[in-house]
Amino acid sequence: MADAPLKGIRVLEMARVLAGPWAGQLLADLGADVIKVENPDGGDETRQWGPPFLADASGENLGAAYFHGTNRGKRSVTADLRDKDDLAFVRRLAARSDVMIENFKTSGLKKYGLDYESLRKINPKLIYCSITGFGQTGPYAGHAGYDFIIQGMSGFMSVTGEPDGQPMKAGVAFADLFTGLYAVSAIQAALIHVMKTGEGQHIDMALMDSQVAVLANQNMNFLATGKSPQRLGNFHPNISPYEVVPTLDGHLILAVGNDGQFARLCNLLDLEDLPSDPKFATNPDRVANRKALHEHISAKTEFFERDDLLARCEANAVPAGPINAIGEMFDDPQIQARGMRLDLDDGGGGTLPGVASPMKMSQTPPRHDRRAPRLGEHNDEVRKELQRLEQS
């Protein structure tokens, strides 16, 4: 098996909570040496964001599960930027790194000489990725950015939730997570640019920009009509029936994307007349009459047991699926077959749970050989390595 694709790439992560650490974790999965710089007084806040907390085999508290979900594969060093020796250490690390990820407030690192313009003078090849709520420019550049607020400001919550209920956020911090993913794409493109030209660059990632970008078809629905899309609950703005329906023992999802699938669904529900009804004959017709269609379909599905109806849908090539709790998801044979749950060495004779990278690569698969680090666990190791690099 070949080396991990980013082996030999050193990433200096001066980021905390989620977007920056999510990017760092993904780069670590791909083989980069990610050195996480934390304040010695408690480190990344998410170490305390519990319960639940994880412990090793000896019972030592290893911090909140939240921290472990976004810091796998890294090494941790501590540095107080107000201390001149610690600051000098971080600058030396930056001089020997390929990538730096930071999520301080705009210009927050300038007073320490750790801003891009300062560091490019000692490391012209450095890829410097800044992650903020609103970016380095614009009237909100100096504002703090929180995922929940970004979900609201971006328009995401205006299309999420029931029409007659509150606007709803997503169940996870989507703005943070998408920003981390976009950041990794930008960083890898910048690494290719360095290989071609020897020139580093500044990457300006904003949670607001990322959340706006992933509104996808909802953005285009507005741009095409001039009308802002509204909340539809579990209905789809452009496809029908694409929704949740009731059964005797719960609910399931129907995701019918074309006329053939719709006809097959109607056949198995004894609704053979609907495909020829002008109100439901084509997808635009069904979208225009989605509430009436939902009533027809639900009146039939509510008399089926969920798993029986799912089996009938599968047998008739009608896209449908269950609504799993997270525990049910991890018990799903497909998830188990794909190896999405990890058991990582806790460093004390036991294991810690984790979630695998979704990237399946035939020649350079992601690595999952290191748990999230204890605070400052690699202080001596990294300092000795840095000294050897500087002397070579």
Side-chain angles (χ1 to χ4, degrees):
M1 193 70 67
D3 287 336
L6 295 185
K7 183 178 181 180
I9 299 297
R10 183 175 298 106
V11 178
L12 181 60
E13 182 190 297
M14 300 190 65
R16 58 196 191 281
V17 185
L18 190 48
W22 194 254
Q25 179 171 264
L26 180 50
L27 294 169
D29 286 345
L30 293 172
D33 176 20
V34 180
I35 301 172
K36 185 179 181 72
V37 178
E38 300 185 73
N39 190 307
D41 184 21
D44 190 318
E45 296 97 307
T46 61
R47 288 183 181 274
Q48 289 78 44
W49 281 13
F53 295 91
L54 295 183
D56 67 12
S58 69
E60 179 188 351
N61 185 347
L62 299 180
Y66 193 119
F67 176 82
H68 287 263
T70 190
N71 287 287
R72 176 185 64 246
K74 305 174 187 178
R75 297 193 287 175
S76 170
V77 298
T78 55
D80 183 345
L81 299 184
R82 297 167 296 182
D83 180 276
K84 65 177 183 179
D85 291 334
D86 281 1
L87 178 57
F89 166 62
V90 174
R91 283 180 56 84
R92 289 163 55 209
L93 272 177
R96 296 285 180 167
S97 294
D98 302 286
V99 178
M100 176 168 160
I101 301 172
E102 60 91 9
N103 66 348
F104 284 69
K105 290 182 180 179
T106 305
S107 301
L109 288 175
K110 189 171 184 178
K111 63 183 176 182
Y112 301 111
L114 294 174
D115 58 303
Y116 175 62
E117 292 301 325
S118 298
L119 291 181
R120 69 184 297 195
K121 295 175 183 176
I122 61 173
N123 185 358
K125 294 183 177 182
L126 181 65
I127 297 163
Y128 188 106
C129 180
S130 296
I131 299 177
T132 57
F134 298 96
Q136 303 295 307
T137 59
Y140 302 158
H143 293 191
Y146 297 91
D147 178 274
F148 196 171
I149 294 173
I150 298 295
Q151 288 194 36
M153 292 181 67
S154 67
F156 176 83
M157 289 175 63
S158 76
V159 296
T160 306
E162 293 295 335
D164 55 354
Q166 280 192 344
M168 296 296 292
K169 69 177 182 65
V172 294
F174 268 8
D176 276 313
L177 297 173
F178 276 119
T179 304
L181 291 170
Y182 274 119
V184 168
S185 292
I187 287 167
Q188 292 184 108
L191 285 169
I192 294 173
H193 180 73
V194 169
M195 291 171 58
K196 292 178 177 178
T197 68
E199 177 185 53
Q201 61 185 294
H202 187 197
I203 298 170
D204 174 10
M205 296 298 309
L207 271 65
M208 184 71 160
D209 295 350
S210 297
Q211 188 65 74
V212 168
V214 299
L215 290 182
N217 60 297
Q218 294 285 33
N219 282 335
M220 293 307 300
N221 290 342
F222 166 74
L223 293 173
T225 66
K227 297 179 181 179
S228 292
Q230 302 298 306
R231 299 192 302 280
L232 297 173
N234 285 316
F235 293 112
H236 193 287
N238 305 106
I239 311 171
S240 184
Y242 201 95
E243 60 199 52
V244 172
V245 295
T247 66
L248 279 171
D249 53 350
H251 295 83
L252 59 79
I253 296 167
L254 292 176
V256 174
N258 60 52
D259 294 342
Q261 293 172 354
F262 178 63
R264 293 193 295 274
L265 172 66
C266 291
N267 285 337
L268 71 89
L269 294 178
D270 294 324
L271 293 170
E272 291 88 348
D273 293 339
L274 290 191
S276 59
D277 188 320
K279 295 193 298 292
F280 310 120
T282 68
N283 184 68
D285 298 325
R286 295 191 290 273
V287 169
N289 297 284
R290 66 165 67 86
K291 289 185 178 180
L293 179 59
H294 178 72
E295 291 174 0
H296 283 294
I297 292 173
S298 296
K300 295 291 187 177
T301 63
E302 65 184 0
F303 293 104
F304 285 84
E305 291 186 350
R306 188 196 74 164
D307 290 349
D308 177 43
L309 183 52
L310 285 171
R312 291 174 183 239
C313 285
E314 182 175 0
N316 287 274
V318 175
I323 301 172
N324 290 329
I326 291 178
E328 291 172 319
M329 175 272 290
F330 276 113
D331 286 338
D332 190 293
Q334 178 66 21
I335 299 303
Q336 294 177 351
R338 299 289 286 176
M340 288 304 296
R341 171 171 174 155
L342 297 176
D343 290 297
L344 301 169
D345 186 346
D346 69 2
T351 59
L352 294 171
V355 181
S357 168
M359 296 177 291
K360 311 299 182 187
M361 304 167 70
S362 64
Q363 300 303 312
T364 57
R367 68 177 200 182
H368 302 113
D369 54 3
R370 177 179 283 167
R371 55 169 169 76
R374 292 166 171 81
L375 179 62
E377 180 177 351
H378 303 96
N379 277 335
D380 292 341
E381 177 180 295
V382 171
R383 288 175 182 271
K384 289 177 182 178
E385 285 181 9
L386 180 60
Q387 189 173 32
R388 287 197 297 271
L389 284 171
E390 292 171 334
Q391 292 173 348
S392 62

